[in-house]
Amino acid sequence: MISFFRSLKSRRELGKKGLVGSRKRRTSDQTLASVAEHSKTLAITMLIAIWCVSVSILVFKKNEIKDYNLVEKQQAPNTEFSELPEFSYEDGQATIKKKREAMATVPLFFSVSNLRISQALKRFEQLFIFLEQHYKELQENKKLVNKNNPVLKVIEKIPPAGLTALYQLVENPAQKKNYQNRLFLVLANGVMSREDKENLKLKQKIRVIDVKDRRKQPRELVEMATPETAAEEVADGILKYYSSNDRDVFRKALIAITLYLIGPKGDLEFNNTVTQAERDIAAGKVDPVIVRYRKDQPLILKGQIITARDLDILRQYQIQLKESTKQIELWERLLRIGLICLFLMVITGIYIYHIHPEVASSNQKIWVTGTTVIFGILVNYGSLELFDFLSPILNLLPHFANDIIPLAVVSAVLSVTVGFRVAVYAGFFTSVIAAMMLNGSFNMVMNGMLVSCLVGFAVRHSLNYKSFFFRILILVSILSLMLNDQLYTNFQFSEWTPVYAFANGIGTAILALIILFVVEFLFNISTNMALLALCDYNHPLLKRLQMEAPGTFHHSLMVATLAEQAAIAIGVNPIKARVGALFHDIGKLIKPEYFTENNAADDKHRELHPRMSSLIILNHVKEGVDMAIKYKLKKIIRDAIEQHHGTDMVFYFYKRALEENNGDTPVAEGEYRYSGPLPVEKEVVLIGLADVCEAASRSLQKPTPAKIEAMVWELLRKRVRDRQMDKARITLAELGTIRDSFSKTLSTMLHGRIAYPKDNNNEDDLFVAGTKVPPAEAKTTEETD
């Protein structure tokens, strides 16, 4: 307690004299980033945020059935592709056409009319009665025939020779019976009217249903008898038994009489009932015409004229799409997807916790990883939505959605901000989420794994944003071309494949660069690219060091060289070590004249009490952190400023205090120690060791490699003995490598030079005024010239 108040009093006195800053210092622990670094609540909040974003996008992803709002004869505004794995469409018009063709093959059924046969046979009896009466009338010269008898009109057209033959037929009962039988046989086989036959197609099949309701075999239409052909058939059958000279006349008479008996309509009647029934049976046996569409096959093309068939296709497509995407209850979707996402996060978390415990223990890295993953998921979702919007307009095939998702964004950003292995696992996580957006595309998961690994590996050591951009562009374009789905299915590329590949490459590179800038701004991340920008000696703080504290600036350059070479030797980031070393002593800008390297001739501490001198020296760390916060320097630089001395002692002033102490009050060792904290990161440890070794090397008289190595080894052992390395993530083997690197580098820096011989002429005054040349010598000189 007494030491605290004494320290506070001394600091106030120094502040009044202007030796230390009097304003309240903003420590790194007071920044929002430092508070967040130690908050478990914020770490859990980020994990919940990742889970919520993943679940929300998958649960509430639009699965609406599109309403096309098209009408017949309209020009299609967009190309519509099938999203179903296989869409089966029943082509109604083609099916109807096929059924009509099947129905057309069905024979027409005609039934033999019993009524017409009876009427024909009745007319036959009446005909022969009339012929008998007419014959008697001619013989007896009596008027026996009714002039209104319709048979008379037929008889009057028959010439006398024909009538004579008919009279003979009447007198012969056997021939009469033969005539009647032949007439009945023709009628029983069916006689079709000429009109009906002419109205039918030439190849039409006909089936006759006889008087006993028996269906005869189908016959060609040309085979069907008409009244004329039936009359000729009957006449020819009767004439087989006649050899009269008037055969032709008799034949014509028979034909005329038979036509009268049969009648113009014949005896066949179209049986529509049976025909339609048979047609229905034939149509029922016809399978529907099924048109199958594969996934991503266009249903309609942009610019085509919409037909009724197109509208029917879209209608049936909507029905099948609704059936295949039955909406389950929201809570069921939430439970299923929530458990899947939680499982993925647990697996990823276990991996990171065991492989990268420093990431799991750093809220900053957790937030950087989580924010990048959220950005990646949103970018993938936005890419799919943009593709869904543009694909119908630009006729883009839907399967190319797999090739335009920027899967490499997450791994590219995290590889340069957190680490390669974390980037690979985060890339796998976002790839699985993207695959679930596309209904579980296995190719998407495998492509995401491969792209995340290769892109993360390629950009992990990028030294500038240009290199970062072009590595992503080139590698993603090549991988998109090689991993195109067409290569898996058809072993060929479409003409648009290179375009999609390049678009994916440039889109991924731009998005990765934008997200990297955002992450660097939000979390003050120390990427190699951002740190290299700080290596520019035109930085305001480095310019001030050059002008106001040149000794400190030179010291910082030497420390940077030592730390960078040692970092390369033990395999840590040399850029972090170099940048941290350049800025580690910027706090000396407050009072540069009180540091020996800037004012070796005049000792400002001669008249100061050792405690006040130690406060000035100790204060450069606090002021340096304050300036780093003011200039928004990276966290690794603030850590280097704050931790490079650890809790080391200002031994020179502590020893002076012991020597000047009269024994009144004891000298508190803690008043002469830096406030810390102890260094943790290897790069910060290197800066602290390089700082003390470089400073101590300037006190060596006639340095040799052996002296330098002994000095370095002693300083390192002193740091270990003083417990300054207790929290350092460094091994004894690495300390040995650091010792060798420091010794080699310092030996090169402090090497001796050859002593040049002295010129005794005008040795003390190089700029003495030249004497006038004597005239003789001048003349000799002119001649020589």
Side-chain angles (χ1 to χ4, degrees):
M1 184 65 71
I2 295 173
S3 299
F4 172 76
F5 284 110
R6 287 178 60 193
S7 175
L8 182 61
K9 181 180 178 182
S10 300
R11 183 172 182 82
R12 286 182 177 178
E13 292 178 358
L14 290 174
K16 291 177 181 179
K17 295 179 181 180
L19 298 179
V20 296
S22 58
R23 62 190 175 89
K24 184 177 180 180
R25 183 178 69 86
R26 295 174 295 171
T27 65
S28 60
D29 291 337
Q30 294 171 332
T31 62
L32 178 61
S34 296
V35 174
E37 184 72 9
H38 303 91
S39 174
K40 292 183 178 180
T41 303
L42 288 178
I44 296 174
T45 301
M46 173 49 66
L47 297 178
I48 294 175
I50 297 174
W51 183 83
C52 290
V53 171
S54 303
V55 172
S56 299
I57 284 181
L58 294 175
V59 171
F60 300 105
K61 184 179 182 294
K62 292 190 300 183
N63 288 320
E64 300 175 357
I65 306 302
K66 185 176 180 180
D67 188 5
Y68 297 100
N69 293 324
L70 299 175
V71 295
E72 195 171 350
K73 297 183 179 180
Q74 174 189 355
Q75 191 175 27
N78 301 316
T79 299
E80 302 295 343
F81 298 94
S82 172
E83 299 178 7
L84 295 171
E86 183 176 347
F87 163 52
S88 300
Y89 155 69
E90 181 181 347
D91 192 339
Q93 294 183 358
T95 302
I96 291 174
K97 181 179 178 181
K98 190 174 180 180
K99 287 184 176 181
R100 287 176 177 173
E101 291 175 353
M103 293 169 68
T105 61
V106 175
L108 299 180
F109 286 82
F110 284 81
S111 298
V112 176
S113 175
N114 285 328
L115 177 62
R116 293 185 183 180
I117 292 178
S118 299
Q119 292 175 349
L121 295 177
K122 185 178 180 180
R123 286 193 294 271
F124 179 83
E125 295 297 332
Q126 292 175 352
L127 172 65
F128 275 85
I129 292 173
F130 177 83
L131 288 175
E132 290 177 357
Q133 293 176 352
H134 192 266
Y135 181 67
K136 289 180 180 181
E137 184 179 273
L138 292 176
Q139 288 181 344
E140 298 176 0
N141 196 18
K142 294 181 180 180
K143 296 182 180 179
L144 302 176
V145 179
N146 186 0
K147 301 299 183 182
N148 296 322
N149 196 321
V151 180
L152 185 60
K153 296 179 179 180
V154 179
I155 295 299
E156 289 177 349
K157 297 179 181 180
I158 298 174
L163 285 175
T164 302
L166 287 176
Y167 295 151
Q168 294 176 359
L169 183 64
V170 171
E171 291 179 348
N172 190 340
Q175 292 299 324
K176 175 183 175 183
K177 187 63 177 179
N178 180 36
Y179 186 13
Q180 185 179 13
N181 291 338
R182 289 186 178 277
L183 176 62
F184 179 79
L185 183 61
V186 168
L187 291 174
N189 288 330
V191 178
M192 181 181 293
S193 68
R194 180 179 292 274
E195 182 181 0
D196 288 342
K197 190 173 182 178
E198 290 176 351
N199 290 334
L200 297 177
K201 295 181 179 179
L202 184 62
K203 295 183 179 180
Q204 180 64 56
K205 297 284 187 176
I206 304 296
R207 291 193 72 176
V208 175
I209 302 176
D210 63 13
V211 293
K212 295 183 179 181
D213 204 24
R214 294 176 298 186
R215 299 180 182 183
K216 297 185 177 181
Q217 292 298 322
R219 290 185 286 173
E220 297 288 343
L221 181 64
V222 295
E223 298 176 7
M224 297 303 297
T226 60
E228 290 79 6
T229 58
E232 291 176 356
E233 181 181 351
V234 172
D236 292 337
I238 293 173
L239 288 175
K240 289 181 181 180
Y241 305 100
Y242 285 86
S243 58
S244 159
N245 295 330
D246 300 328
R247 186 182 182 90
D248 291 338
V249 176
F250 185 34
R251 183 174 183 273
K252 290 179 180 179
L254 284 175
I255 291 173
I257 291 298
T258 306
L259 276 174
Y260 164 72
L261 296 175
I262 295 174
K265 294 183 179 181
D267 65 339
L268 289 180
E269 294 179 342
F270 177 63
N271 194 327
N272 184 63
T273 302
V274 176
T275 302
Q276 192 59 44
E278 291 296 322
R279 286 178 175 178
D280 292 341
I281 293 173
K285 293 180 180 179
V286 173
D287 294 328
V289 178
I290 303 299
V291 180
R292 303 186 185 278
Y293 290 87
R294 297 185 303 275
K295 187 176 182 180
D296 300 338
Q297 187 174 346
L299 301 175
I300 58 173
L301 297 174
K302 181 179 179 181
Q304 81 173 62
I305 302 302
I306 301 298
T307 62
R309 179 178 180 273
D310 296 327
L311 294 176
D312 192 33
I313 290 175
L314 294 177
R315 180 183 60 79
Q316 294 195 36
Y317 172 72
Q318 286 181 317
I319 294 173
Q320 292 190 30
L321 190 60
K322 287 179 181 179
E323 293 177 353
S324 65
T325 58
K326 288 184 178 179
Q327 297 295 326
I328 63 175
E329 294 294 333
L330 178 62
W331 68 269
E332 293 181 3
R333 287 174 54 83
L334 183 62
L335 180 62
R336 179 170 58 85
I337 294 176
L339 290 176
I340 293 174
C341 294
L342 182 62
F343 174 76
L344 291 173
M345 290 183 63
V346 169
I347 295 298
T348 305
I350 292 174
Y351 168 82
I352 294 176
Y353 179 80
H354 287 283
I355 302 300
H356 282 287
E358 72 279 3
V359 175
S361 61
S362 171
N363 282 353
Q364 184 197 40
K365 292 182 178 180
I366 291 175
W367 270 72
V368 170
T369 304
T371 303
T372 305
V373 168
I374 290 174
F375 277 143
I377 293 173
L378 295 177
V379 164
N380 293 342
Y381 177 75
S383 300
L384 287 177
E385 290 297 311
L386 180 62
F387 184 84
D388 290 342
F389 174 76
L390 293 178
S391 59
I393 300 175
L394 302 179
N395 291 346
L396 304 178
L397 294 176
H399 73 264
F400 282 114
N402 295 353
D403 305 319
I404 58 92
I405 297 181
L407 296 174
V409 167
V410 172
S411 66
V413 174
L414 291 180
S415 184
V416 297
T417 55
V418 179
F420 170 64
R421 288 185 287 187
V422 174
V424 170
Y425 244 75
F428 169 73
F429 177 81
T430 53
S431 298
V432 173
I433 299 299
M436 293 173 69
M437 293 180 194
L438 290 172
N439 299 321
S441 172
F442 179 74
N443 285 349
M444 178 68 70
V445 177
M446 299 307 298
N447 292 354
M449 283 281 292
L450 182 60
V451 170
S452 296
C453 290
L454 295 180
V455 173
F457 184 82
V459 302
R460 71 192 192 284
H461 294 318
S462 298
L463 298 181
N464 54 68
Y465 295 108
K466 181 179 179 181
S467 172
F468 178 78
F469 179 86
F470 280 103
R471 287 183 184 187
I472 297 175
L473 170 61
I474 294 172
L475 190 56
V476 172
S477 298
I478 294 174
L479 291 175
S480 297
L481 196 62
M482 295 176 61
L483 300 177
N484 187 275
D485 284 346
Q486 292 296 311
L487 181 62
Y488 299 149
T489 55
N490 302 329
F491 295 96
Q492 62 182 1
F493 296 123
S494 72
E495 63 274 11
W496 289 101
T497 300
V499 177
Y500 293 132
F502 179 76
N504 190 8
I506 195 168
T508 301
I510 293 173
L511 289 170
L513 206 55
I514 293 173
I515 294 175
L516 179 61
F517 288 150
V518 172
V519 170
E520 285 182 341
F521 173 77
L522 291 178
F523 302 102
N524 203 18
I525 289 295
S526 305
T527 64
N528 289 345
M529 295 168 281
L531 291 175
L532 274 178
L534 295 174
C535 288
D536 186 0
Y537 295 154
N538 289 318
H539 190 280
L541 288 177
L542 296 182
K543 291 293 290 185
R544 285 187 61 189
L545 274 180
Q546 295 176 49
M547 303 302 296
E548 300 175 24
T552 300
F553 178 72
H554 183 264
H555 163 71
S556 298
L557 291 179
M558 298 302 102
V559 173
T561 302
L562 284 171
E564 184 178 16
Q565 295 302 318
I568 295 173
I570 65 173
V572 296
N573 194 332
I575 299 175
K576 286 185 178 181
R578 179 175 182 80
V579 176
L582 287 176
F583 288 89
H584 80 286
D585 271 346
I586 57 175
K588 294 181 179 180
L589 285 170
I590 301 301
K591 292 295 177 183
E593 65 274 12
Y594 283 88
F595 296 88
T596 306
E597 67 266 24
N598 298 315
N599 193 6
D602 184 13
D603 188 3
K604 292 286 186 178
H605 296 279
R606 187 181 305 139
E607 299 178 356
L608 294 178
H609 187 276
R611 176 57 189 147
M612 290 188 177
S613 296
S614 69
L615 284 175
I616 295 174
I617 300 301
L618 297 174
N619 192 63
H620 88 276
V621 171
K622 301 176 182 179
E623 294 293 345
V625 174
D626 195 25
M627 295 176 71
I629 295 172
K630 178 181 177 181
Y631 280 86
K632 296 181 174 58
L633 297 181
K634 302 297 181 181
K635 182 179 181 298
I636 186 64
I637 299 176
R638 298 200 305 270
D639 291 343
I641 295 170
E642 191 172 26
Q643 300 173 15
H644 75 279
H645 283 297
T647 58
D648 201 6
M649 179 185 291
V650 186
F651 188 75
Y652 175 79
F653 293 110
Y654 175 69
K655 187 176 181 181
R656 266 186 58 185
L658 291 176
E659 293 173 352
E660 295 177 5
N661 185 21
N662 297 325
D664 298 335
T665 55
V667 178
E669 182 179 325
E671 295 179 354
Y672 292 87
R673 283 189 177 274
Y674 289 93
S675 59
L678 296 178
V680 179
E681 297 291 339
K682 292 183 179 181
E683 293 85 357
V684 178
V685 172
L686 290 176
I687 294 169
L689 295 176
D691 178 56
V692 67
C693 290
E694 198 281 334
S697 67
R698 296 184 179 277
S699 64
L700 291 176
Q701 298 294 329
K702 295 183 180 180
T704 62
K707 288 183 179 181
I708 292 172
E709 184 176 0
M711 177 205 69
V712 170
W713 189 230
E714 178 58 30
L715 291 174
L716 265 60
R717 285 187 292 182
K718 181 182 177 182
R719 278 292 179 105
V720 174
R721 287 195 303 268
D722 200 24
R723 303 182 69 89
Q724 298 298 313
M725 310 288 288
D726 285 2
K727 294 185 179 180
R729 297 170 181 166
I730 204 163
T731 65
L732 289 176
E734 289 174 332
L735 278 178
T737 305
I738 293 169
R739 177 197 62 182
D740 296 339
S741 175
F742 281 178
S743 300
K744 181 179 178 181
T745 306
L746 284 172
S747 298
T748 306
M749 290 180 178
L750 302 176
H751 68 280
R753 289 184 177 274
I754 299 174
Y756 288 93
K758 295 183 179 179
D759 186 1
N760 295 325
N761 295 327
N762 299 326
E763 181 182 359
D764 296 330
D765 190 359
L766 297 177
F767 300 101
V768 67
T771 57
K772 292 184 179 181
V773 182
E777 294 181 6
K779 183 177 180 181
T780 304
T781 303
E782 291 176 0
E783 291 176 355
T784 304
D785 292 342

